[in-house]
Amino acid sequence: MPESPRPDDVTSPLPAAVLFDMDGTLVDTEQLWWQAAAELAEELRHPLTDADAPEVLGQAVEHTAAHLHRVSGTDLPEAELAHRLGESFAGKVAAETVPRPGALALLTALREAGVPTALVSASPRRVVDLVLSTLGRDWFAVTLAAEDTVRTKPAPDPYLAAAERLGLEPAVCLAVEDTPTGVTSAVAAGCAVLAVPSTPVAMPEGDRITLLTSLEQADLALLGKLSAAPVG
């Protein structure tokens, strides 16, 4: 999947809305999540490797807890593992929340242009609120956490819900994601996707999936082009 160049055409239409993932996309918390999972996995005598990444990165707490329960063979209940994971991650987020390069500049440009934005996260509401207390709540017209839909990523539900709350069709919305799990969710909902990986993982490919190495490469003209609904 080739990297998309920055467009020179500043007359491109604005995106109808931009739906941002949180962890690893807007804030540098994906590594904190990996650390929390790795520490628990070490206690369970199952050191994490690259083979575990699809079950950890971009996944909900319950999903990763179920994975650790399965691969470690522990007698501890999945609910206890999920609780410990959530507590550990929340503590790390509270201590260290750093915006990703280009994130605040892009949010500022969207706000100044009057483009609505949503935060669409698979993290628990507690963690989302911790991040928003640092990043700022007024960037987003809508915020969705794991508890806000029956199914979370990679199911399409979170992005469908975000578009519905904004009063828009998903096809005219652009999702910004950093993991294959998130990209899968957004594509299934019908959104165009800008993928900006926070870790070296292979991304799904598709006609409406565009890859950049940093949000610093994104601008309003590019976002408008990418979010244009397909013809026909």
Side-chain angles (χ1 to χ4, degrees):
M1 188 161 41
E3 187 172 309
S4 298
R6 291 170 62 95
D8 295 322
D9 180 12
V10 296
T11 64
S12 298
L14 293 171
V18 182
L19 317 178
F20 287 95
D21 171 57
M22 186 180 77
D23 298 307
T25 300
L26 287 177
V27 289
D28 194 10
T29 51
E30 201 66 73
Q31 291 300 328
L32 301 180
W33 172 237
W34 180 267
Q35 289 172 21
E39 289 169 5
L40 181 56
E42 193 73 33
E43 291 183 35
L44 300 174
R45 300 187 179 182
H46 175 77
L48 292 187
T49 68
D50 289 346
D52 297 290
E55 309 299 332
V56 176
L57 298 176
Q59 298 289 359
V61 170
E62 291 77 12
H63 182 101
T64 299
H67 170 69
L68 293 180
H69 185 273
R70 182 172 60 253
V71 296
S72 69
T74 180
D75 292 330
L76 294 174
E78 287 184 24
E80 180 175 340
L81 299 181
H83 175 74
R84 291 176 61 181
L85 271 174
E87 289 295 305
S88 176
F89 182 47
K92 294 178 186 301
V93 169
E96 182 182 357
T97 298
V98 179
R100 297 284 293 169
L104 293 179
L106 188 56
L107 286 171
T108 298
L110 289 166
R111 180 164 65 184
E112 291 177 348
V115 176
T117 59
L119 187 71
V120 185
S121 179
S123 285
R125 172 57 63 179
R126 175 186 177 188
V127 173
V128 170
D129 286 344
L130 281 172
V131 170
L132 290 175
S133 68
T134 299
L135 187 66
R137 298 177 184 276
D138 60 346
W139 293 113
F140 309 103
V142 169
T143 67
L144 283 148
E147 302 92 333
D148 294 325
T149 52
V150 174
R151 300 180 300 172
T152 189
K153 304 173 188 179
D157 304 37
Y159 282 104
L160 291 173
E164 181 180 11
R165 292 190 188 187
L166 291 172
L168 296 168
E169 291 296 323
V172 301
C173 297
L174 177 68
V176 185
E177 275 283 354
D178 74 307
T179 66
T181 301
V183 171
T184 298
S185 172
V187 169
C191 301
V193 182
L194 174 59
V196 188
S198 59
T199 57
V201 293
M203 286 289 179
E205 297 188 13
D207 292 340
R208 302 192 75 205
I209 302 173
T210 302
L211 180 68
L212 293 181
T213 58
S214 171
L215 287 178
E216 293 174 300
Q217 298 171 295
D219 59 18
L220 293 182
L222 175 60
L223 299 189
K225 286 185 174 182
L226 298 183
S227 62
V231 177

mmCIF file of all heavy atoms in Angstrom, residues 55-78:
data_model
loop_
_atom_site.group_PDB
_atom_site.id
_atom_site.type_symbol
_atom_site.label_atom_id
_atom_site.label_comp_id
_atom_site.label_asym_id
_atom_site.label_seq_id
_atom_site.Cartn_x
_atom_site.Cartn_y
_atom_site.Cartn_z
ATOM 1 N N GLU A 55 -3.557 -9.865 19.166
ATOM 2 C CA GLU A 55 -4.518 -10.063 20.257
ATOM 3 C C GLU A 55 -4.392 -8.987 21.346
ATOM 4 O O GLU A 55 -5.154 -9.003 22.314
ATOM 5 C CB GLU A 55 -4.321 -11.450 20.890
ATOM 6 C CG GLU A 55 -4.298 -12.592 19.898
ATOM 7 C CD GLU A 55 -5.593 -12.714 19.118
ATOM 8 O OE1 GLU A 55 -6.649 -12.312 19.648
ATOM 9 O OE2 GLU A 55 -5.548 -13.210 17.977
ATOM 10 N N VAL A 56 -3.437 -8.078 21.159
ATOM 11 C CA VAL A 56 -3.196 -7.030 22.162
ATOM 12 C C VAL A 56 -3.403 -5.644 21.566
ATOM 13 O O VAL A 56 -4.204 -4.856 22.069
ATOM 14 C CB VAL A 56 -1.768 -7.156 22.748
ATOM 15 C CG1 VAL A 56 -1.491 -6.009 23.728
ATOM 16 C CG2 VAL A 56 -1.568 -8.512 23.422
ATOM 17 N N LEU A 57 -2.686 -5.335 20.504
ATOM 18 C CA LEU A 57 -2.710 -3.989 19.943
ATOM 19 C C LEU A 57 -4.063 -3.674 19.326
ATOM 20 O O LEU A 57 -4.568 -4.403 18.479
ATOM 21 C CB LEU A 57 -1.602 -3.831 18.897
ATOM 22 C CG LEU A 57 -0.182 -3.989 19.425
ATOM 23 C CD1 LEU A 57 0.822 -3.911 18.286
ATOM 24 C CD2 LEU A 57 0.130 -2.926 20.481
ATOM 25 N N GLY A 58 -4.659 -2.599 19.791
ATOM 26 C CA GLY A 58 -5.944 -2.163 19.279
ATOM 27 C C GLY A 58 -7.130 -2.936 19.811
ATOM 28 O O GLY A 58 -8.262 -2.657 19.433
ATOM 29 N N GLN A 59 -6.892 -3.874 20.706
ATOM 30 C CA GLN A 59 -7.970 -4.722 21.212
ATOM 31 C C GLN A 59 -8.533 -4.184 22.529
ATOM 32 O O GLN A 59 -7.850 -3.480 23.274
ATOM 33 C CB GLN A 59 -7.469 -6.152 21.427
ATOM 34 C CG GLN A 59 -7.001 -6.842 20.159
ATOM 35 C CD GLN A 59 -8.151 -7.186 19.217
ATOM 36 O OE1 GLN A 59 -9.321 -6.921 19.505
ATOM 37 N NE2 GLN A 59 -7.821 -7.774 18.075
ATOM 38 N N ALA A 60 -9.777 -4.566 22.805
ATOM 39 C CA ALA A 60 -10.413 -4.193 24.064
ATOM 40 C C ALA A 60 -9.804 -4.994 25.211
ATOM 41 O O ALA A 60 -9.194 -6.054 25.010
ATOM 42 C CB ALA A 60 -11.915 -4.456 23.985
ATOM 43 N N VAL A 61 -9.984 -4.484 26.425
ATOM 44 C CA VAL A 61 -9.427 -5.138 27.617
ATOM 45 C C VAL A 61 -9.882 -6.591 27.697
ATOM 46 O O VAL A 61 -9.070 -7.497 27.936
ATOM 47 C CB VAL A 61 -9.853 -4.370 28.887
ATOM 48 C CG1 VAL A 61 -9.484 -5.162 30.141
ATOM 49 C CG2 VAL A 61 -9.204 -2.993 28.925
ATOM 50 N N GLU A 62 -11.160 -6.820 27.490
ATOM 51 C CA GLU A 62 -11.707 -8.177 27.635
ATOM 52 C C GLU A 62 -11.114 -9.135 26.612
ATOM 53 O O GLU A 62 -10.888 -10.318 26.913
ATOM 54 C CB GLU A 62 -13.227 -8.144 27.504
ATOM 55 C CG GLU A 62 -13.942 -7.458 28.660
ATOM 56 C CD GLU A 62 -13.862 -5.941 28.587
ATOM 57 O OE1 GLU A 62 -13.452 -5.389 27.532
ATOM 58 O OE2 GLU A 62 -14.200 -5.291 29.593
ATOM 59 N N HIS A 63 -10.862 -8.647 25.416
ATOM 60 C CA HIS A 63 -10.285 -9.496 24.377
ATOM 61 C C HIS A 63 -8.876 -9.941 24.766
ATOM 62 O O HIS A 63 -8.537 -11.125 24.671
ATOM 63 C CB HIS A 63 -10.244 -8.743 23.046
ATOM 64 C CG HIS A 63 -9.703 -9.552 21.905
ATOM 65 N ND1 HIS A 63 -10.511 -10.145 20.968
ATOM 66 C CD2 HIS A 63 -8.425 -9.873 21.556
ATOM 67 C CE1 HIS A 63 -9.777 -10.805 20.096
ATOM 68 N NE2 HIS A 63 -8.497 -10.647 20.433
ATOM 69 N N THR A 64 -8.053 -8.984 25.189
ATOM 70 C CA THR A 64 -6.680 -9.321 25.564
ATOM 71 C C THR A 64 -6.653 -10.197 26.804
ATOM 72 O O THR A 64 -5.836 -11.123 26.912
ATOM 73 C CB THR A 64 -5.856 -8.039 25.781
ATOM 74 O OG1 THR A 64 -5.827 -7.293 24.558
ATOM 75 C CG2 THR A 64 -4.431 -8.356 26.211
ATOM 76 N N ALA A 65 -7.542 -9.944 27.759
ATOM 77 C CA ALA A 65 -7.620 -10.788 28.953
ATOM 78 C C ALA A 65 -7.968 -12.222 28.575
ATOM 79 O O ALA A 65 -7.381 -13.177 29.101
ATOM 80 C CB ALA A 65 -8.646 -10.232 29.927
ATOM 81 N N ALA A 66 -8.910 -12.387 27.656
ATOM 82 C CA ALA A 66 -9.287 -13.736 27.214
ATOM 83 C C ALA A 66 -8.120 -14.423 26.520
ATOM 84 O O ALA A 66 -7.891 -15.632 26.693
ATOM 85 C CB ALA A 66 -10.494 -13.662 26.285
ATOM 86 N N HIS A 67 -7.363 -13.664 25.751
ATOM 87 C CA HIS A 67 -6.193 -14.221 25.075
ATOM 88 C C HIS A 67 -5.153 -14.686 26.087
ATOM 89 O O HIS A 67 -4.627 -15.808 25.981
ATOM 90 C CB HIS A 67 -5.580 -13.177 24.140
ATOM 91 C CG HIS A 67 -4.251 -13.573 23.579
ATOM 92 N ND1 HIS A 67 -4.111 -14.585 22.663
ATOM 93 C CD2 HIS A 67 -2.995 -13.093 23.827
ATOM 94 C CE1 HIS A 67 -2.826 -14.719 22.349
ATOM 95 N NE2 HIS A 67 -2.134 -13.825 23.036
ATOM 96 N N LEU A 68 -4.854 -13.855 27.080
ATOM 97 C CA LEU A 68 -3.859 -14.226 28.087
ATOM 98 C C LEU A 68 -4.332 -15.425 28.902
ATOM 99 O O LEU A 68 -3.532 -16.296 29.267
ATOM 100 C CB LEU A 68 -3.568 -13.035 29.000
ATOM 101 C CG LEU A 68 -2.865 -11.845 28.345
ATOM 102 C CD1 LEU A 68 -2.647 -10.731 29.367
ATOM 103 C CD2 LEU A 68 -1.538 -12.258 27.723
ATOM 104 N N HIS A 69 -5.608 -15.471 29.184
ATOM 105 C CA HIS A 69 -6.167 -16.614 29.912
ATOM 106 C C HIS A 69 -5.976 -17.898 29.101
ATOM 107 O O HIS A 69 -5.563 -18.939 29.639
ATOM 108 C CB HIS A 69 -7.652 -16.375 30.178
ATOM 109 C CG HIS A 69 -8.304 -17.417 31.019
ATOM 110 N ND1 HIS A 69 -8.842 -18.575 30.483
ATOM 111 C CD2 HIS A 69 -8.496 -17.506 32.367
ATOM 112 C CE1 HIS A 69 -9.340 -19.317 31.449
ATOM 113 N NE2 HIS A 69 -9.152 -18.688 32.599
ATOM 114 N N ARG A 70 -6.202 -17.801 27.811
ATOM 115 C CA ARG A 70 -6.123 -18.975 26.942
ATOM 116 C C ARG A 70 -4.682 -19.459 26.768
ATOM 117 O O ARG A 70 -4.395 -20.651 26.906
ATOM 118 C CB ARG A 70 -6.732 -18.630 25.585
ATOM 119 C CG ARG A 70 -6.769 -19.782 24.597
ATOM 120 C CD ARG A 70 -7.569 -19.393 23.356
ATOM 121 N NE ARG A 70 -7.012 -18.236 22.664
ATOM 122 C CZ ARG A 70 -7.554 -17.027 22.675
ATOM 123 N NH1 ARG A 70 -8.663 -16.795 23.357
ATOM 124 N NH2 ARG A 70 -6.991 -16.036 22.006
ATOM 125 N N VAL A 71 -3.766 -18.531 26.482
ATOM 126 C CA VAL A 71 -2.400 -18.960 26.154
ATOM 127 C C VAL A 71 -1.573 -19.298 27.390
ATOM 128 O O VAL A 71 -0.611 -20.053 27.301
ATOM 129 C CB VAL A 71 -1.668 -17.892 25.318
ATOM 130 C CG1 VAL A 71 -2.348 -17.699 23.978
ATOM 131 C CG2 VAL A 71 -1.551 -16.565 26.067
ATOM 132 N N SER A 72 -1.941 -18.746 28.535
ATOM 133 C CA SER A 72 -1.163 -19.012 29.747
ATOM 134 C C SER A 72 -1.661 -20.236 30.507
ATOM 135 O O SER A 72 -0.923 -20.832 31.301
ATOM 136 C CB SER A 72 -1.188 -17.802 30.677
ATOM 137 O OG SER A 72 -2.481 -17.618 31.235
ATOM 138 N N GLY A 73 -2.924 -20.584 30.301
ATOM 139 C CA GLY A 73 -3.492 -21.701 31.041
ATOM 140 C C GLY A 73 -3.704 -21.407 32.514
ATOM 141 O O GLY A 73 -3.857 -22.324 33.328
ATOM 142 N N THR A 74 -3.766 -20.135 32.873
ATOM 143 C CA THR A 74 -3.930 -19.751 34.275
ATOM 144 C C THR A 74 -5.300 -20.155 34.815
ATOM 145 O O THR A 74 -6.271 -20.268 34.063
ATOM 146 C CB THR A 74 -3.759 -18.227 34.437
ATOM 147 O OG1 THR A 74 -3.918 -17.874 35.825
ATOM 148 C CG2 THR A 74 -4.781 -17.467 33.617
ATOM 149 N N ASP A 75 -5.345 -20.370 36.129
ATOM 150 C CA ASP A 75 -6.620 -20.651 36.789
ATOM 151 C C ASP A 75 -7.361 -19.379 37.166
ATOM 152 O O ASP A 75 -8.514 -19.435 37.605
ATOM 153 C CB ASP A 75 -6.383 -21.486 38.062
ATOM 154 C CG ASP A 75 -5.891 -22.890 37.747
ATOM 155 O OD1 ASP A 75 -6.252 -23.408 36.675
ATOM 156 O OD2 ASP A 75 -5.137 -23.448 38.565
ATOM 157 N N LEU A 76 -6.699 -18.241 37.031
ATOM 158 C CA LEU A 76 -7.349 -16.978 37.372
ATOM 159 C C LEU A 76 -8.486 -16.701 36.395
ATOM 160 O O LEU A 76 -8.357 -16.925 35.188
ATOM 161 C CB LEU A 76 -6.342 -15.828 37.318
ATOM 162 C CG LEU A 76 -5.213 -15.857 38.348
ATOM 163 C CD1 LEU A 76 -4.216 -14.741 38.067
ATOM 164 C CD2 LEU A 76 -5.780 -15.718 39.749
ATOM 165 N N PRO A 77 -9.617 -16.213 36.878
ATOM 166 C CA PRO A 77 -10.748 -15.915 35.984
ATOM 167 C C PRO A 77 -10.412 -14.804 34.993
ATOM 168 O O PRO A 77 -9.628 -13.896 35.302
ATOM 169 C CB PRO A 77 -11.853 -15.470 36.952
ATOM 170 C CG PRO A 77 -11.429 -15.929 38.297
ATOM 171 C CD PRO A 77 -9.938 -15.950 38.292
ATOM 172 N N GLU A 78 -11.027 -14.870 33.827
ATOM 173 C CA GLU A 78 -10.806 -13.823 32.829
ATOM 174 C C GLU A 78 -11.197 -12.460 33.372
ATOM 175 O O GLU A 78 -10.546 -11.447 33.064
ATOM 176 C CB GLU A 78 -11.612 -14.129 31.559
ATOM 177 C CG GLU A 78 -11.069 -15.260 30.744
ATOM 178 C CD GLU A 78 -11.847 -15.464 29.454
ATOM 179 O OE1 GLU A 78 -12.488 -14.492 28.985
ATOM 180 O OE2 GLU A 78 -11.822 -16.582 28.924
#
